[in-house]
Every structure is written in C-alpha cells, then in structure tokens.
Amino acid sequence: MFGSFVGAFRPTLTALGGHTWRIPWRLSKTRKANVRKRLREVDDVISTLVESGVECKQLELVKVMPKEHEMVPRDKYTTFSRKAAKHRKAVHKVPHFTKRPIPRTTPTGF
C-alpha cells in the first residue's frame, strides 16, 4: 500500500540527486518554437507602441534592441549567468523563464 506512491507525492529518489522532477538537458523543438513566438509577440507590441506615437524612455531603449529574426540562436536560447560555466545558461533552466523577459543583448565580451 505505501510502496507505490503516485503523482506529486512520490518519494524523492536518492539516485537522481534528490530531484524528483528533472529539467531536460536541452530545449525541445516545441519549447524553442514557443521562445521564438514569445519574442515575436514582444516585437509586435513594441512596434504597435512605436506606431501609435507613445514616447517614453524605456521604449527608446527597447527600440535599439535586436528583433527576434536579427538575434543569433545563442542569444535566443541562452542567457548570461555569472555562475555558469562559460557564463551562459540555457533559458529553460532559469526559473519562470516563460514569465520573465529574455535579455536580447549580453554584456560585452560574453
């Protein structure tokens, strides 16, 4: 009875390093497509605001950033991280990456 836990109440496996739910090693095709879709949606909102004539300091800063089709894949699917090896971290390893904005530029030299 107690040996077969199901769902969210499964015991943590020590062999997996204490993680019951694992993050995949690489982004799947659908997750990459969703990242590109979110970037394009943000580009559409920015272009709509620019066309409507709204002026603000943040909008001026965002207009300079590259659009989704101008970004290299490395910048689309990874983010800068001081702690990670080679200072890059896959975007799906960032907590709540679907809710946070993906930085479109990296610090110089990285």
Side-chain angles (χ1 to χ4, degrees):
M1 178 176 158
F2 294 108
S4 61
F5 288 97
V6 180
F9 301 107
R10 286 186 290 188
T12 305
L13 297 175
T14 313
L16 293 176
H19 295 288
T20 315
W21 311 107
R22 301 291 289 182
I23 298 172
W25 184 71
R26 66 175 60 158
L27 276 172
S28 65
K29 290 180 181 180
T30 52
R31 281 189 172 198
K32 282 185 178 184
N34 288 338
V35 167
R36 291 191 302 271
K37 180 180 151 195
R38 280 192 298 274
L39 287 170
R40 280 193 300 269
E41 287 173 352
V42 170
D43 290 340
D44 291 342
V45 169
I46 292 169
S47 63
T48 304
L49 286 173
V50 169
E51 291 170 3
S52 69
V54 174
E55 293 182 13
C56 64
K57 186 176 179 181
Q58 285 296 324
L59 188 59
E60 297 299 321
L61 295 174
V62 172
K63 283 196 299 189
V64 178
M65 292 189 177
K67 296 191 181 303
E68 184 268 332
H69 65 275
E70 299 169 347
M71 294 172 67
V72 294
R74 187 182 120 174
D75 288 336
K76 288 182 196 177
Y77 309 122
T78 61
T79 59
F80 174 76
S81 174
R82 285 182 286 155
K83 298 177 182 177
K86 298 183 183 179
H87 301 289
R88 302 299 289 183
K89 184 177 186 178
V91 73
H92 69 291
K93 304 228 181 210
V94 176
H96 309 288
F97 79 98
T98 59
K99 307 297 181 203
R100 294 184 181 179
I102 298 171
R104 295 179 181 233
T105 57
T106 56
T108 53
F110 296 102

